[in-house]
Amino acid sequence: MFDPSEHRVASPLDWLDDELDQLRAAQLGRSRRLRASAAGPEIRLDGQQVISFASNDYLGLASHPNLASAARQTAERFGWGAAASPLVAGHDEPTAALEAELAAWLDTEAALVFGSGYAANVSTITALVGRGDVVYSDETNHASIIDGCRLSRAQVVVYPHGNAAWLADRLEAPSGHRRRLIVTDSLFSMDGDVAPLESLASLAQASGSMLLVDEAHATGVCGARGTGLIEALGLEHLVDIRLGTLSKSLGGVGGFVAGRRSLVEWLVNRSRGYIFSTALPPACAGASRAALALVHAEPQRRTVLADRARRLRARLAKLGWLAIGNDAAWASQIIPLICGSAEAALAASRALLERGLYVPAIRPPSVAPGSSRLRVALSYLHDESMIERLLSALAEIDRPT
Ligand SMILES: *Cc1c(COP(=O)(O)O)cnc(C)c1O
């Protein structure tokens, strides 16, 4: 018999198997479940029909027929691929129109679309600061902000989560740096709480620092017109650099930066992730424009969602499941239920899956060790009966203490 293990030659990549074994032993291994249906509140996952509380499709637009048909129509006219960077092969009309609509929506002079929100953060931060500059970054900022800070070669000062007073102390004295940038998520992706944007905006103003606010999870959700938390707090004129994504509430793919015209012109000239990367297919812009039209025409998607989030948070608290961010300025649709160890979070997630509910366990490095959690992400498309099923399942399973 041929036994492959006997014939294996040592390879310089063998460390991969050792490291993966260790990850799995620490309950930190990750694997992908196969989804055999469109994104939505009910999906088919690894052959099981489940109610999903896992997606960032907060407004339920990812599978809306208007997006698919807009993509199809745009693809029929413009073809599929963009063929090169927008600086090389031409800035296609659908993307240009989307940028104009984003700028009008956010009431900024201009906007620029990137291939992803990840690319938008890395590309923007590295274009704004470099050696001799300093970035102040919240400790729970998204990985794309962290990576942008690291790549920029600027000095990075990580401040305690949401702690504007700590930052005020640091910003008081002139730092001797050429430029200073404060960067924060507005609605934090894993904690579901919000940044003290008002304080950060006045600190930025007082210290002459630039301020970049990443609205990835707030775009489409917060504010009367749905542009984000900046709008909800009335801070439009105090935030210089507004970043959002087309891939969460807007149901598609891509990221964007909005602000003054010179900001966009600078990024077109200096941002490596824009210059050296192929543009998104024009059809993606077509779909995003259809999503924006729905955000304008159907404000109930965000108001119903906000109302449901508030009520679910209150009911979870009654069950003894304390979520982060219940008393925040915005009771958000991201509801993290802290379990503690990675093992406890996995066990809770498995117990829910046995009951037909998919609520992912979030573990390090996405969150700090000891704060592993279930992350409940609500969507406009979750109806009352789905929420009742989640609540009764959570009442049944052992709540980690
Ligand atoms: C998801 C996310 C991003 C990245 O956006 P993509 O479009 O998914 O690449 C950036 N910032 C934050 C805060 C996010 O949550």
Side-chain angles (χ1 to χ4, degrees), residues 193-210:
D193 61 348
V194 298
L197 285 188
E198 226 163 330
S199 308
L200 295 179
S202 47
L203 279 178
Q205 209 173 31
S207 63
S209 306
M210 301 177 282

Side-chain angles (χ1 to χ4, degrees), residues 56 115-119 121 141-142 144-145 185 187-189 214-217 243-248 253-255:
N56 299 323
S116 69
Y118 186 98
N121 265 325
N141 275 344
H142 189 260
S144 55
I145 293 179
D185 287 19
L187 174 48
F188 287 89
S189 52
D214 176 354
E215 297 254 45
H217 292 276
L243 191 144
T245 142
L246 304 165
S247 51
K248 286 167 182 161
V253 64

Side-chain angles (χ1 to χ4, degrees), residues 224-303:
R225 291 182 306 117
T227 64
L229 191 69
I230 293 169
E231 181 203 344
L233 300 176
L235 300 173
E236 290 93 330
H237 301 294
L238 292 174
V239 180
D240 317 309
I241 308 151
R242 296 164 70 178
L243 191 144
T245 142
L246 304 165
S247 51
K248 286 167 182 161
S249 289
L250 295 175
V253 64
F256 64 87
V257 170
R260 60 201 282 171
R261 202 174 312 283
S262 53
L263 169 68
V264 165
E265 204 177 323
W266 179 252
L267 293 175
V268 167
N269 279 275
R270 276 290 181 268
S271 135
R272 296 170 64 84
Y274 189 78
I275 300 169
F276 297 107
S277 190
T278 301
L280 283 176
C284 297
S288 289
R289 295 181 69 196
L292 266 187
L294 286 164
V295 168
H296 297 319
E298 300 181 356
Q300 73 276 13
R301 287 178 186 269
R302 56 182 174 274
T303 54

Side-chain angles (χ1 to χ4, degrees), residues 92-169:
D92 62 82
E93 277 177 3
T95 305
L98 172 62
E99 288 174 347
E101 288 170 9
L102 287 168
W105 186 38
L106 271 69
D107 196 18
T108 57
E109 286 178 4
L112 186 69
V113 168
F114 290 83
S116 69
Y118 186 98
N121 265 325
V122 170
S123 312
T124 302
I125 294 169
T126 52
L128 292 174
V129 289
R131 279 205 183 89
D133 300 328
V134 58
V135 194
Y136 301 92
S137 173
D138 188 292
E139 67 180 339
T140 57
N141 275 344
H142 189 260
S144 55
I145 293 179
I146 296 171
D147 294 354
C149 290
R150 288 179 182 160
L151 261 180
S152 74
R153 298 181 163 115
Q155 185 193 336
V156 183
V157 176
V158 175
Y159 61 87
H161 181 49
N163 197 333
W166 191 97
L167 192 57
D169 282 344

